[in-house]
Amino acid sequence: MSADRHLPSGLVTFLFTDIEGSTRLAQMLGNGYRPVLAEHRRLLRSALRRADGVELFTEGDSYFFVFTDPAAAVLACAEGQRALAAYAWPSEQAMPRVRMGLHTGFAQPHAGEYASAEVHRAARVANAAHGGQILLSEATATRTRQLPDETWLLDLGLHKLRGFDGHERLFQLVAPGLSRHFPRLRTSQAPAHNLPSAITPFVGRATERADLSDLVARQRLVTVVGSGGAGKTRLAVEVAGDLVGQFPDGVWLLDLATISDPGLVGFTLMNTLGLRPEPGKPVLDTLVEYAANRRMLLVLDTCEAQLAGVRAVIAQLLTAGRGVHVLATSREPLSVPGEVVWRIPPLGLEPGPGAERADAVALLIERTTAARGGRVPAESEIRSLGRVATRLDGLPLALELAAARLRVLSAGELADRLENELDGKAPDPLGAIDGTAMALGEPSGRHATLQATVEWSYRTLPPAAAGLLRGLSVFAGPVDLQTVEWWVDGDPLDTLATLVDKSLLQVGRDTGRSEYRMLDPIRAFAARCLTAEGEERAVRDRHLRWALHRLERAQQGADGRPVTLSMYSLDPLAGELRAALRWCVTGGSARLGLRIASGLDQWWRERGLAREGRLWHFRLYSRLAETGEHVPDRELALVYYSHSMHACADGETSEEIRFAQRAEVAARRSGDAGTVARVLAGQPGPLVSLGKAAEAEQLCRDLLSWAGPREVTADALFAIYNLAELLWLRGAYAEAAELLATARPVEALRPAERGRRTVDLLLGMAALGRRDLVAAHDHLSIALRSRMSYGFHSRACVAVSAMAARCVLGGDHEMAATLFGAAAAAKARLCRGPGIFGAYWTAQQAVSRKALGDAAFDAAWARGSTMSLEDASSLALDIEAPRRVDHELTVLLDGVSQPESS
């Protein structure tokens, strides 16, 4: 009997199998591989022969079978895989993972074999599979109609088989007991797409990339919305590239910026997909029919260019079949049913987890390196690049243009051009960055300059939205809804929604309420438009009035009555108040600017910004001399007094004395006794600095005697503080405590001073002088807790140092050294000098150093120096309060052992 009579002919199904990684398995098992191979052959041969499969040959770990019934062949493969999975192999690693490929076609045997291209096609199908996977060609799949329950074929799309023209649609058998999830098929070409190859590396956005990829895989229409130059297209292309393997029918990119008519959107998409128009058949019908049974991703870029046309096409495609997904980019949402709007954030300005650089800085470094011919910026430039990235709000286009500018500028020079310096000039990112493209030969277009990018969106705004955008450009930071309502007449929600939809404003809700933020490049463009429209003076004057209003409200409760002043209430206003001051020194009212400066009197010093406060004062004086604007003497006296306090904090004694004298002259000229008392109360400070403590003490006593009959003792409160300090310096602790007791009710009635709890701080210092540890702990804890609660950070440093001295008195020298180190570091950050207690701190540090030894003291000091002021304060407040009985016993024993100290 000849071999031909044993082999089926006509329409037959070929099966190839082999063990994935057989060479590696053989090397790993050594002599144990032979029994594994033999058992694998036995299990497969048994399953395949039961389905009437004819074995053509066995070579190594490969099998070649032929079947007459394709469905039987498919089910036999499933049985074979299940048999392999169920067998008790020597170990999990020893289990052979078999890949299988089936193809059906016409063939005739000759001389015991098949000489047909169909055999080669079946072999290529098997080569595409992974271990444990069963692949079918489309020819086999279409002839395998009757399958058991829970058994079905998964369409894996079109794939290129090596050596064959065209593409083959492959299917995977899904059945109980079989693995379903495998890597991409091992075909000679990845699934089809037309995504461009990147010219430059993609930098950063790891989190956004992963989040967006997951969203696109789960949702059928995702629109990446952001301002021009935000990096929407680049991110969308990268995400689409990541998802190519999940869309077997391809990933197709269409740039709508090149389309001039909405009616051409469908036609252009059809060309992108390789389709031809059919006579008498609408374009959308052709697209719908093509997409009906396919799984593909469409990337529609720059949708804002043709919103109407895009909406029509997307609506039809999404209803055609569930396999079509759309990733769109636009400056505003498409407003199509089922749309998920994903707003792209700027590049990060802080390093992410495990990252050395922030994304924005990393991009700037990479692009600057390319712009400079491969020369990486020096480490000394990296910090300046961080300033550039921050000033440009992490906007990718702005960073790209900035890198081009860095061909001719250093990073520091560009940062200086961008930053908001105290020179009375508003920053202009457009002027600093734009011009690069033209000067350096960059291509033109909508994204050639920041100006062109923003202008494209601005031209599409209705008048009310354009006016609001120009108005909000004078704000330095985000604005809340209450501010916008104060700013405009009527309900602003529709106008705000327009600006948000067109990505000219960003919405943040981190504080639990909506805030609207404008990126700096957009703000610079809107400010230019404000000037061009002739609105700048009116709008900036209005912003100045708003700033004063908010400054006053920060010191009031809901009922409009004064509340305890908190520096924390001023922190969020700092940017806006600086913007208002900038306008005051360049074109606005110097008097109103001086009112803002006075309102920030304590804030400048508590935040270590006394020098900045002095500079604003000097610029406002110049503006005042330029305009001749009248300022009442009482206001001027308080301004000069505030200036003298800033000079004192900066250690500028001569300047302090000069402006203290000017304050006195203006105060006396005003005839207001309270103002006179207030400015005179600050004059003992310079006398102490000049070593005239006795003269300073007499000045305080004279002032308090003068203020009493005039009922302005409350305005002379600082004279009480100064006198108590002077009494402390000469050891008159009881007298200081008695004086401070009279000041407590006065302090409690003054909202601007009571948060500092200076009376308690000084009572605590007096208790330390008397070695009364219990009283010192109580008073100092109250002062420190209040100062931190109300944001008086500079003064909190004094309280931390005082708590350190309390620890010295209590014998806890390691804690004392730690707190002294923390206080010293905080003072350095806040530019605060040693103050009137400096010598005392030094003496107490020497006591602890002697008790601990140099090494232990320095180690504790170093630990403290790395702490934040918040952490140091918490550490100090956690110190257990001493008990009165224990303390009195300690003092008694101390007195017995050291009689000379009693």
Side-chain angles (χ1 to χ4, degrees):
M1 185 181 293
S2 69
D4 299 280
R5 297 172 62 182
H6 294 285
L7 299 178
S9 62
L11 189 65
V12 297
T13 298
F14 298 110
L15 166 67
F16 282 86
T17 78
D18 66 6
I19 297 175
E20 183 182 51
S22 57
T23 302
R24 191 169 187 178
L25 184 64
Q27 291 175 337
M28 181 184 72
L29 297 178
N31 292 332
Y33 178 64
R34 183 175 296 280
V36 167
L37 181 61
E39 199 59 32
H40 142 264
R41 289 174 178 170
R42 183 186 68 79
L43 292 170
L44 277 188
R45 182 178 288 120
S46 174
L48 299 177
R49 285 183 175 177
R50 283 198 301 269
D52 295 328
V54 179
E55 181 178 348
L56 277 86
F57 67 82
T58 301
E59 180 179 351
D61 60 292
S62 301
Y63 263 142
F64 178 21
F65 271 70
V66 61
F67 299 80
T68 55
D69 184 352
V74 171
L75 295 178
C77 289
E79 286 300 319
Q81 291 284 18
R82 282 192 282 261
L84 290 170
Y87 187 79
W89 301 100
S91 66
E92 184 178 353
Q93 291 76 18
M95 175 184 172
R97 288 169 171 79
V98 177
R99 54 182 185 170
M100 301 179 175
L102 300 110
H103 172 63
T104 302
F106 287 92
Q108 296 290 337
H110 179 73
E113 62 180 9
Y114 293 91
S116 168
E118 307 297 349
V119 174
H120 295 276
R121 188 178 293 272
R124 296 293 181 262
V125 172
N127 289 340
H130 294 272
Q133 189 175 31
I134 303 171
L135 292 184
L136 291 70
S137 70
E138 187 170 19
T140 303
T142 56
R143 292 171 174 82
T144 308
R145 303 196 180 277
Q146 298 298 324
L147 291 173
D149 292 341
E150 299 183 19
T151 301
W152 50 284
L153 300 179
L154 174 64
D155 187 350
L156 300 180
L158 297 172
H159 294 267
K160 186 83 166 67
L161 299 180
R162 183 166 58 86
F164 287 88
D165 296 330
H167 289 77
E168 177 72 35
R169 185 174 294 277
L170 298 179
F171 295 79
Q172 176 186 318
L173 179 65
V174 179
L178 302 187
S179 297
R180 177 176 175 182
H181 301 289
F182 297 92
R184 275 170 45 180
L185 299 185
R186 294 187 172 102
T187 48
S188 60
Q189 182 177 328
H193 69 80
N194 68 336
L195 300 176
S197 297
I199 299 175
T200 57
F202 184 77
V203 178
R205 292 205 188 279
T207 300
E208 293 96 327
R209 185 173 180 173
D211 291 347
L212 186 56
S213 294
D214 179 65
L215 193 61
V216 174
R218 291 186 291 107
Q219 302 289 338
R220 297 190 59 211
L221 172 57
V222 178
T223 305
V224 179
V225 174
S227 61
K232 302 183 295 294
T233 299
R234 185 65 190 273
L235 178 60
V237 170
E238 293 295 326
V239 167
D242 295 339
L243 296 174
V244 163
Q246 298 187 30
F247 292 93
D249 292 303
V251 175
W252 308 102
L253 171 66
L254 174 61
D255 183 4
L256 289 117
T258 61
I259 300 176
S260 58
D261 187 285
L264 296 176
V265 173
F267 182 80
T268 309
L269 178 57
M270 192 167 64
N271 286 340
T272 300
L273 295 173
L275 305 177
R276 292 180 177 272
E278 300 178 43
K281 192 171 186 178
V283 168
L284 280 181
D285 288 356
T286 302
L287 284 171
V288 168
E289 183 178 301
Y290 176 80
N293 297 313
R294 283 177 167 77
R295 179 170 173 78
M296 60 183 178
L297 173 64
L298 302 179
V299 183
L300 305 182
D301 190 32
T302 324
C303 290
E304 72 273 9
Q306 296 296 343
L307 275 177
V310 170
R311 287 167 180 156
V313 170
I314 288 178
Q316 291 288 329
L317 286 175
L318 292 181
T319 59
R322 300 192 59 81
V324 177
H325 286 232
V326 177
L327 172 58
T329 73
S330 179
R331 299 191 189 190
E332 56 186 292
L334 305 183
S335 300
V336 174
E339 177 186 26
V340 176
V341 176
W342 190 87
R343 294 192 178 273
I344 185 171
L347 285 171
L349 297 174
E350 296 293 335
E356 180 182 0
R357 311 278 189 201
D359 284 353
V361 177
L363 176 64
L364 199 50
I365 292 173
E366 198 281 330
R367 299 298 190 260
T368 301
T369 300
R372 293 178 175 177
R375 295 191 302 276
V376 179
E379 193 63 33
S380 58
E381 277 196 290
I382 301 299
R383 184 173 181 180
S384 294
L385 289 177
R387 291 164 55 202
V388 171
T390 299
R391 195 64 189 86
L392 295 176
D393 271 326
L395 194 66
L397 174 62
L399 297 174
E400 300 269 3
L401 295 173
R405 205 63 151 174
L406 288 168
R407 299 184 205 177
V408 294
L409 292 174
S410 71
E413 289 169 335
L414 181 57
D416 289 342
R417 286 170 173 258
L418 288 168
E419 283 184 339
N420 180 2
E421 300 292 351
L422 284 175
D423 56 3
K425 297 179 181 178
D428 184 5
L430 297 178
I433 298 300
D434 281 352
T436 303
M438 293 168 281
L440 299 174
E442 302 292 341
S444 61
R446 288 192 311 131
H447 292 104
T449 66
L450 290 175
Q451 173 87 13
T453 300
V454 182
E455 187 175 11
W456 195 95
S457 295
Y458 180 78
R459 287 200 307 265
T460 67
L461 292 176
L468 180 58
L469 185 73
R470 294 193 300 271
L472 296 182
S473 71
V474 300
F475 286 85
V479 294
D480 56 19
L481 182 59
Q482 183 181 10
T483 297
V484 180
E485 290 173 334
W486 185 93
W487 189 263
V488 302
D489 296 326
D491 189 348
L493 288 181
D494 289 343
T495 306
L496 276 174
T498 298
L499 295 175
V500 170
D501 283 347
K502 292 186 177 292
S503 303
L504 293 170
L505 287 181
Q506 296 183 332
V507 185
R509 299 181 179 86
D510 294 341
T511 60
R513 61 180 184 176
S514 296
E515 290 186 332
Y516 306 93
R517 177 174 178 262
M518 194 183 303
L519 296 179
D520 276 349
I522 296 175
R523 178 179 290 108
F525 172 84
R528 286 186 176 186
C529 294
L530 185 72
T531 303
E533 293 289 336
E535 302 170 333
E536 183 175 21
R537 175 169 292 279
V539 171
R540 292 197 181 277
D541 280 343
R542 192 174 188 186
H543 176 264
L544 174 56
R545 292 194 299 274
W546 173 86
L548 280 167
H549 168 72
R550 289 298 298 267
L551 182 58
E552 292 168 0
R553 286 299 305 273
Q555 303 174 45
Q556 299 171 353
D559 58 359
R561 300 175 63 182
V563 295
T564 302
L565 177 63
S566 171
M567 298 297 101
Y568 296 131
S569 67
L570 299 181
D571 288 336
L573 298 177
E576 300 300 342
L577 295 174
R578 286 185 175 111
L581 286 171
R582 191 178 301 111
W583 170 242
C584 289
V585 301
T586 56
S589 166
R591 179 186 176 185
L592 295 183
L594 289 170
R595 282 179 58 188
I596 290 177
S598 294
L600 291 172
D601 172 37
Q602 295 192 66
W603 185 84
W604 298 119
R605 298 192 294 278
E606 291 302 321
R607 295 296 177 262
L609 300 171
R611 179 179 180 276
E612 181 182 342
R614 290 165 54 217
L615 291 174
W616 280 118
H617 276 80
F618 281 127
R619 287 180 170 84
L620 288 165
Y621 301 152
S622 297
R623 175 67 177 168
L624 201 61
E626 178 185 333
T627 63
E629 187 177 5
H630 174 69
V631 179
D633 287 328
R634 182 178 180 278
E635 292 181 25
L636 202 56
L638 295 178
V639 166
Y640 289 148
Y641 171 70
S642 174
H643 191 149
S644 70
M645 293 294 99
H646 297 331
C648 175
D650 269 352
E652 298 290 342
T653 303
S654 60
E655 185 179 322
E656 177 188 4
I657 294 173
R658 184 167 73 253
F659 280 95
Q661 291 171 344
R662 291 185 184 181
E664 180 181 355
V665 171
R668 293 189 184 283
R669 198 165 55 227
S670 74
D672 183 76
T675 303
V676 173
R678 183 173 178 180
V679 300
L680 290 180
Q683 290 188 356
L687 292 176
V688 174
S689 300
L690 296 173
K692 301 178 180 181
E695 186 177 338
E697 181 177 333
Q698 188 59 49
L699 178 61
C700 291
R701 295 184 185 278
D702 291 345
L703 175 58
L704 292 173
S705 298
W706 178 87
R710 293 169 176 78
E711 298 183 347
V712 292
T713 300
D715 293 292
L717 181 60
F718 271 80
I720 300 178
Y721 294 158
N722 286 330
L723 180 56
E725 290 174 347
L726 291 166
L727 292 171
W728 184 92
L729 281 177
R730 61 182 179 84
Y733 306 127
E735 185 181 354
E738 183 178 350
L739 174 67
L740 290 168
T742 67
R744 186 181 290 281
V746 178
E747 181 184 74
L749 292 174
R750 294 184 67 83
E753 279 84 33
R754 62 187 175 212
R756 299 193 302 253
R757 300 298 289 258
T758 304
V759 168
D760 277 299
L761 186 285
L762 294 176
L763 284 172
M765 293 300 298
L768 286 177
R770 298 194 309 270
R771 300 180 65 80
D772 185 345
L773 185 61
V774 174
H777 182 95
D778 290 345
H779 286 299
L780 295 177
S781 296
I782 291 171
L784 177 57
R785 184 175 288 107
S786 183
R787 291 180 173 195
M788 289 303 297
S789 296
Y790 290 101
F792 291 95
H793 292 166
S794 180
R795 293 177 186 272
C797 293
V798 181
V800 172
S801 294
M803 287 295 287
R806 167 253 178 271
C807 291
V808 175
L809 182 61
D812 189 351
H813 296 288
E814 183 176 358
M815 177 64 76
T818 300
L819 292 179
F820 273 130
K827 288 176 184 178
R829 291 193 296 269
L830 294 170
C831 306
R832 184 180 180 91
I836 197 167
F837 301 117
Y840 178 70
W841 308 142
T842 302
Q844 297 306 304
Q845 291 164 18
V847 172
S848 288
R849 180 179 289 277
K850 182 177 181 180
L852 292 173
D854 288 343
F857 180 89
D858 290 341
W861 180 288
R863 285 195 301 273
S865 67
T866 63
M867 299 174 70
S868 67
L869 181 59
E870 290 77 9
D871 289 342
S873 299
S874 296
L875 181 64
L877 292 172
D878 285 342
I879 296 172
E880 184 177 356
R883 294 188 302 173
R884 173 66 65 180
V885 173
D886 292 343
H887 172 62
E888 290 177 350
L889 178 61
T890 300
V891 172
L892 179 63
L893 293 175
D894 186 52
V896 171
S897 61
Q898 300 182 38
E900 69 276 13
S901 300
S902 60

